[in-house]
Amino acid sequence: MDQGRHPIRLATFLAPVARVAYQAVAEHLERTLGRPVILVDGASFGQFADGSVDVGFICGLPYVQLTREDPAPVELLAAPVLMGARYHGEPIYFSDVIVRADSDFRDFADLRGASWAFNDVDSHSGYNITRYHLVELGETHGFFGRIVEAGAHQRSINLVADGLVDASAIDSQVLALVLGSDPELATRLRVIEVLGPSPIQPVVAATRLPTELKRELSAALLSMDADARAKAGLGLGLVERFVEVQDSHYDPIRRMLEAAEQAAFMTLGEE
């Protein structure tokens, strides 16, 4: 497929709170590659195959699911390393289980029968790893009481803070960004469990793109931390740099998904 000078369509399927970092990526790619880059909100993972999205920020769970297709519609370009000692300079992140600060919950076991919010079923940090944790505990028969699909991590955070839901597992990058911008909200929440670490959300390219363009995109991402302007933009999203990753880096997520499938426990609300 000859892309010519057609704009590169860069989609984010991740939390809006980190959009400033995604915009910095779009601007860096545009400057580095010398062609327009348009940042859009992803609507469907099918957009990689149908030609409406070229590059995307996606969660590790849908990445793993897309690689099950033959041929896979996406391939890895790079993955971010987050700022903070807890990440040890590796492309990983955590799922922080939050409750209200004034609640009686002290650990995950206390959440039996509690209400639980998740962002969406395509989320590893908010759904897949929670499902896997319950499989590991042997708790695949209605551990939680009420289950609420919030639609976004930030809404899950607000539901817990407002006392409308007891607990939720939140992407550690998102939680740090949200609480860093709202100190009052931070006083109303408490982390009682940390799930992970997990392989962090990658940047992927549509497989149909020309090989040379994919090489250029990857090289541009890996060089961002050497560009002061780009590095500053990444920092606003708590991203330190991008690094190269291989498909095998996402094997832990594959194993978690397979464990849930083998246990026939795909839905948190199942009895």
Side-chain angles (χ1 to χ4, degrees):
M1 178 179 178
D2 182 12
Q3 294 291 305
R5 306 311 295 170
H6 194 283
I8 294 170
R9 291 147 297 192
L10 172 64
T12 172
F13 292 84
L14 303 179
V17 70
R19 191 181 180 90
V20 63
Y22 312 145
Q23 184 61 48
V25 171
E27 292 171 0
H28 177 72
L29 292 178
E30 187 167 274
R31 292 194 305 271
T32 304
L33 274 62
R35 59 190 295 176
V37 176
I38 301 171
L39 180 64
V40 300
D41 293 318
S44 164
F45 297 116
Q47 291 178 289
F48 290 104
D50 71 20
S52 56
V53 163
D54 301 313
V55 181
F57 303 94
I58 68 172
C59 181
L61 177 59
Y63 168 71
V64 163
Q65 292 169 323
L66 288 170
T67 61
R68 288 178 164 184
E69 299 180 20
D70 186 17
V74 299
E75 56 189 79
L76 297 169
L77 290 179
V81 172
L82 299 179
M83 295 177 171
R86 72 188 299 196
Y87 304 108
H88 301 288
E90 298 292 332
I92 58 173
Y93 73 131
F94 299 87
S95 296
D96 292 331
V97 178
I98 60 168
V99 298
R100 277 184 61 92
D102 59 3
S103 74
D104 293 329
F105 302 114
R106 291 293 176 265
D107 56 34
F108 196 92
D110 289 342
L111 297 176
R112 179 184 296 279
S115 54
W116 178 268
F118 68 93
N119 53 339
D120 66 72
V121 296
D122 288 322
S123 170
H124 173 69
S125 61
Y127 199 82
N128 188 51
I129 197 169
T130 303
R131 185 172 57 191
Y132 172 75
H133 189 61
L134 290 171
V135 169
E136 288 291 283
L137 293 174
E139 297 282 1
T140 58
H141 300 285
F143 178 81
F144 296 120
R146 183 168 56 98
I147 304 288
V148 176
E149 183 170 3
H153 273 307
Q154 191 155 358
R155 177 161 162 70
S156 294
I157 293 170
N158 292 334
L159 288 172
V160 174
D162 293 341
L164 300 176
V165 171
D166 292 319
S168 184
I170 307 296
D171 174 318
S172 57
Q173 178 191 17
V174 173
L175 186 62
L177 285 168
V178 170
L179 299 188
S181 67
D182 190 343
E184 189 278 330
L185 180 62
T187 66
R188 296 160 57 197
L189 296 170
R190 179 163 44 87
V191 174
I192 61 168
E193 188 102 8
V194 176
L195 306 180
S198 297
I200 199 165
Q201 304 97 329
V203 185
V204 299
T207 305
R208 59 180 166 74
L209 294 180
T211 300
E212 184 57 31
L213 176 57
K214 287 181 284 191
R215 287 199 195 100
E216 291 175 355
L217 287 163
S218 180
L221 289 167
L222 299 177
S223 70
M224 282 193 72
D225 59 312
D227 180 298
R229 179 176 171 185
K231 187 175 179 67
L234 288 180
L236 296 175
L238 301 182
V239 176
E240 182 178 295
R241 67 185 187 278
F242 284 97
V243 295
E244 184 178 356
V245 286
Q246 305 299 323
D247 178 74
S248 59
H249 182 70
Y250 293 88
D251 284 348
I253 294 178
R254 286 191 176 90
R255 289 193 289 269
M256 293 183 207
L257 175 58
E258 290 165 359
E261 290 171 336
Q262 291 167 8
F265 182 59
M266 300 303 294
T267 306
L268 288 181
E270 285 180 349
E271 293 295 332

